[in-house]
Amino acid sequence: MKLRWTPLMAAALIASAGATLAAQKVQILGGGATFPYPIYSKWFNEYNKRHPNVEINYQSQGSGFGIQQITKRTVFFGASDGPMTGEQLLAAPGKILHFPTVLGAVVPVYNVPGVSQELKFSGPLLADIFLGNVTKWNDAAIAKLNPGVSLPANDIVVVHRSDGSGTTFIWVDYLAKVSPEWKKRVGVATSVNWPVGVGAKGNESVSAQVRQVPNAIGYVELIYALHSKINYGSVQNASGTFVKADVNSVTEAAAAAAANMPADFRVSITNAAGAGVYPISSFTWLLLYENHPDKAKAKVMVDFVKWALADGQKFATELGYAPLPKNVIDMEVKALAQIRTQ
Amino acid sequence: MTPIRGGPDEILFRAGTGVFAVLLIAVVLAIGGELVWQSRLSIREFGWQFWQTEIWDPVAGQFGARPFIWGTLYSSVLALIVSTPIAIGIAIFSSELSPAWMRRPLVFVTELLAAIPSIVYGLWGVFVLVPWIRRLEIATPESMKRLPLFTGPPLGIGMLAAAIILAIMVIPFTSSIAREVLRVVPRAQREAAYALGATRWEAIRMALFYARTGIIGAVMLGFGRALGETMAVTMLIGNTPQVSTSLYAPQYTMAAVIANEFTEASGELYLHALIEIGLVLFVITLAINVISRAFIWSLDSRRRPVRPVRPGRARPASPEAA
């Protein structure tokens, strides 16, 4: 069929040209942490519905990737599950600001044959298990916290992440806070030299391993524990209460930490004080340049973050994240004003 | 240089293809150079120690490649031990013995195995193979568990799972090439063998001997593939940097550690150490290829006559052949 030039087509062309002129299409590229990817992609999608001219693309390749790429300015914004270190900030060509977006929790998952009750752990106990100091499920240290549970005399199989990950960072950051031995022998990073255990790649593999291997213990993001219907224990917080991770106990950890929140939001909230606090909680951050040469994009990004902090928070719970407490949101909205948009 | 005959077309053609060939060599050299440059901090810091030390501690900034080198070579050699007889068996059957109606489907299915993505093998491994291996490990008698080959708790994942999955992944490569090599053994060779009264088995043995360099090449290609395989191995090997002879122990490979840690590697030295692992893998793969090539050349250069079927073992010609 031959294409014929009709007045209708001409009109359509003119109309579409007019539309492009009216609303410049803005494409923004970001990248980083995998953990917040589900909610970020939801947000970008929802925001695009409200602002059809804005398209935000996100490469979820890990927190380290996000930090590297924003330092090189190959992406407009980065995302990370652990705050950038002072050294990393100095390596960047301009000032980078941190903005917490949602919260997540890391939970101890286990598979102990014959134990149907929910197990209780304390921070030092988890550290001892992952250090290889506690090697049997019926060890006195476990039995003491779980009276009435008949624990088998089996060897504990530790499963940890093999890939560098923000999940690992949150987990070992907590262990280092509650165990001086962990801090000295292993330390805190996105991958560490594990004293014991086997490595599995990704949250999915860790939960698959723990589900399959009898007597295994591992750690995954709360959302994966919920999805894979695997047992996860409660953890004793700094006030001595045993708390199971859920949306409320995680948000409470953030609220507790908000009182002495530093102005740059680079804060670890593991082992936070407060009765209802789940101790292995963390923010996840967006990373933005304070003074990026592309002011048009900066303006759009500020608007997006404002929306994510306000309307966007309502998507958090259904996706398994904990929303930010109000006091943190208020602080962030003020901090957003630092970003130069013209 | 052979003298160039013909007009400018010929010269252009020759120059064009020559450029492509040189380009390939340049790319290999560039990769090597780039790997050295990108890992210079780690090379300067650790020197040859990098090949020997066993500690891999990103927090303390201590990096040694030995467990990864061991894991890579051990898993690949094990995979080769399992896959080679099976692959050659498949090649012989499909080229020499298979009834005609079965040949096509057999070749198709073997080649299909090569088309399955690595991650699918990995998933199958995690959900099917690993539970089987765990059952096997639990059933291993205590007396056997004292052998250095079978020590360790029954995890399921570990060296054995990785080696088996590698073997399955390597089989189609080795068997396809071995089959092609066997098919090009001249008909006259076979007919001569039969004419001398050789049995089927003896004729095939003759063909295998005739095709030995090609078959070794096929095995080495499989080995190369096993060395570099990443995803499926990462999912099954247990990712624990340790040097162990136990098939049940979780270990680590070079490709796996790069895949695992590269995206999250923060800090220059850490990144350089990971790239040096890539360099080590590059060097080892190159070395193995050179060695196997040299081996094949040495076989070729002392090209002995095909061993005659020993008269004592020769059977009288069968009645129908007579």
Side-chain angles (χ1 to χ4, degrees):
Chain A
M1 198 183 85
K2 235 180 149 188
L3 210 63
R4 254 201 251 149
W5 191 250
T6 64
L8 194 71
M9 274 175 65
L13 266 177
I14 292 164
S16 65
T20 5
L21 278 180
Q24 269 298 337
K25 208 160 176 62
V26 186
Q27 281 188 320
I28 298 178
L29 182 66
T34 46
F35 157 64
Y37 179 60
I39 188 157
Y40 285 0
S41 57
K42 176 88 181 162
W43 279 350
F44 300 145
N45 190 359
E46 290 290 328
Y47 190 77
N48 179 262
K49 278 185 204 156
R50 290 159 177 78
H51 306 268
N53 60 322
V54 179
E55 215 173 83
I56 306 177
N57 292 307
Y58 184 76
Q59 296 183 353
S60 108
Q61 296 200 25
S63 303
F65 172 86
I67 291 171
Q68 273 171 31
Q69 297 303 310
I70 192 163
T71 309
K72 290 185 196 155
R73 294 205 177 188
T74 45
V75 293
F76 189 83
F77 67 93
S80 176
D81 294 340
M84 287 173 74
T85 62
E87 202 181 311
Q88 286 169 338
L89 286 172
L90 284 177
K95 189 176 178 191
I96 293 177
L97 302 175
H98 286 65
F99 292 96
T101 48
V102 284
L103 292 136
V106 181
V107 297
V109 290
Y110 56 85
N111 171 5
V112 191
V115 174
S116 51
Q117 298 99 319
E118 179 190 305
L119 289 180
K120 291 176 176 152
F121 299 96
S122 69
L125 171 62
L126 288 172
D128 276 337
I129 292 174
F130 278 75
L131 280 166
N133 297 340
V134 169
T135 57
K136 294 227 182 271
W137 277 107
N138 65 347
D139 191 284
I142 304 177
K144 206 178 93 193
L145 297 180
N146 297 284
V149 180
S150 63
L151 293 155
N154 298 335
D155 283 335
I156 298 176
V157 176
V158 170
V159 183
H160 54 74
R161 287 285 286 274
S162 61
D163 46 334
S165 105
T167 312
T168 297
F169 184 89
I170 297 164
W171 181 253
V172 297
D173 178 57
Y174 172 66
L175 295 185
K177 278 187 189 171
V178 294
S179 156
E181 191 186 345
W182 184 276
K183 195 171 180 181
K184 196 162 147 274
R185 264 182 65 191
V186 185
V188 182
T190 51
S191 9
V192 297
N193 185 18
W194 296 95
V196 289
V198 294
K201 189 172 164 60
N203 277 303
E204 303 87 343
S205 289
V206 171
S207 58
Q209 278 302 319
V210 171
R211 246 197 336 242
Q212 286 181 21
V213 180
N215 305 306
I217 184 167
Y219 61 91
V220 295
E221 297 272 3
L222 172 62
I223 186 170
Y224 287 94
L226 294 172
H227 280 179
S228 55
K229 296 194 173 51
I230 193 168
N231 290 322
Y232 62 99
S234 56
V235 181
Q236 192 174 31
N237 65 20
S239 331
T241 327
F242 288 93
V243 179
K244 206 164 179 199
D246 60 26
V247 168
N248 292 330
S249 60
V250 177
T251 302
E252 212 161 310
N260 30 23
M261 174 74 83
D264 63 0
F265 300 102
R266 291 193 300 137
V267 63
S268 153
I269 57 165
T270 52
N271 205 28
V277 164
Y278 180 71
I280 321 177
S281 307
S282 174
F283 289 116
T284 181
W285 292 266
L286 276 185
L287 310 170
L288 288 167
Y289 278 107
E290 182 188 62
N291 188 8
H292 196 283
D294 193 336
K295 299 290 185 273
K297 282 187 185 172
K299 195 167 181 211
V300 172
M301 212 48 212
V302 167
D303 185 64
F304 166 76
V305 177
K306 273 186 187 153
W307 174 83
L309 292 173
D311 295 353
Q313 292 290 314
K314 68 168 182 278
F315 299 108
T317 316
E318 61 179 281
L319 291 172
Y321 303 90
L324 295 168
K326 192 165 180 316
N327 43 9
V328 175
I329 292 176
D330 292 344
M331 282 177 75
E332 283 191 68
V333 172
K334 278 194 202 113
L336 270 172
Q338 294 172 40
I339 292 184
R340 308 251 189 93
T341 54
Q342 49 194 327
Chain B
M1 279 283 241
T2 45
I4 301 168
R5 282 186 293 173
D9 283 6
E10 290 293 322
I11 296 168
L12 207 68
F13 180 65
R14 195 187 175 119
T17 50
V19 164
F20 290 139
V22 171
L23 208 65
L24 189 74
I25 297 170
V27 165
V28 173
L29 288 178
I31 291 174
E34 188 67 17
L35 284 173
V36 171
W37 174 246
Q38 297 277 354
S39 58
R40 62 193 182 279
L41 286 183
S42 157
I43 293 173
R44 206 176 303 150
E45 175 89 22
F46 304 114
W48 288 110
Q49 285 291 311
F50 190 75
W51 292 68
Q52 291 154 31
T53 47
E54 280 189 35
I55 295 168
W56 185 263
D57 188 341
V59 182
Q62 277 299 318
F63 300 103
R66 192 156 155 226
F68 308 107
I69 298 173
W70 165 260
T72 304
L73 292 177
Y74 193 34
S75 61
S76 302
V77 168
L78 287 172
L80 222 59
I81 293 172
V82 177
S83 70
T84 305
I86 300 174
I88 294 181
I90 294 173
I92 293 174
F93 184 76
S94 64
S95 74
E96 312 271 334
L97 302 171
S98 156
W101 61 267
M102 227 181 122
R103 190 164 298 154
R104 261 168 194 281
L106 188 69
V107 170
F108 178 74
V109 170
T110 354
E111 266 154 27
L112 197 69
L113 273 181
I116 297 174
S118 182
I119 182 113
V120 176
Y121 279 108
L123 285 174
W124 179 80
V126 166
F127 291 108
V128 183
L129 181 65
V130 164
W132 286 346
I133 291 179
R134 189 175 307 113
R135 254 173 266 152
L136 176 80
E137 287 173 351
I138 292 169
T140 310
E142 280 303 317
S143 52
M144 260 174 83
K145 279 194 173 172
R146 275 188 227 112
L147 296 174
L149 220 48
F150 303 107
T151 50
L155 298 169
I157 55 171
M159 187 47 81
L160 186 60
I164 290 176
I165 211 83
L166 273 178
I168 298 173
M169 296 176 78
V170 159
I171 283 171
F173 288 85
T174 314
S175 79
S176 297
I177 296 178
R179 191 185 65 241
E180 290 306 314
V181 172
L182 280 174
R183 274 180 46 174
V184 298
V185 171
R187 233 189 128 68
Q189 287 281 342
R190 269 171 250 241
E191 282 171 359
Y194 286 126
L196 288 172
T199 58
R200 205 86 186 264
W201 157 237
E202 283 160 344
I204 291 172
R205 225 176 50 183
M206 184 278 307
L208 280 177
F209 185 75
Y210 190 88
R212 67 195 184 283
T213 53
I215 289 173
I216 293 168
V219 172
M220 292 322 291
L221 188 86
F223 193 57
R225 168 140 176 94
L227 285 176
E229 175 47 46
T230 311
M231 197 62 198
V233 174
T234 308
M235 293 169 81
L236 298 175
I237 201 164
N239 302 312
T240 307
Q242 59 174 347
V243 176
S244 164
T245 53
S246 174
L247 296 176
Y248 294 178
Q251 294 179 45
Y252 224 144
T253 69
M254 291 188 264
V257 72
I258 298 173
N260 272 328
E261 300 192 359
F262 194 74
T263 48
E264 291 281 348
S266 45
E268 287 288 299
L269 184 63
Y270 187 10
L271 208 60
H272 281 231
L274 275 175
I275 295 172
E276 195 178 348
I277 294 260
L279 178 65
V280 172
L281 183 58
F282 184 74
V283 169
I284 288 181
T285 316
L286 212 66
I288 285 171
N289 269 304
V290 169
I291 291 168
S292 62
R293 196 101 323 228
F295 180 58
I296 290 172
W297 276 334
S298 78
L299 281 183
D300 276 350
S301 62
R302 44 190 166 98
R303 187 184 280 284
R304 289 163 299 184
V306 173
R307 253 189 308 172
V309 177
R310 265 182 283 146
R313 305 252 324 260
R315 283 161 186 75
S318 49
E320 58 266 29

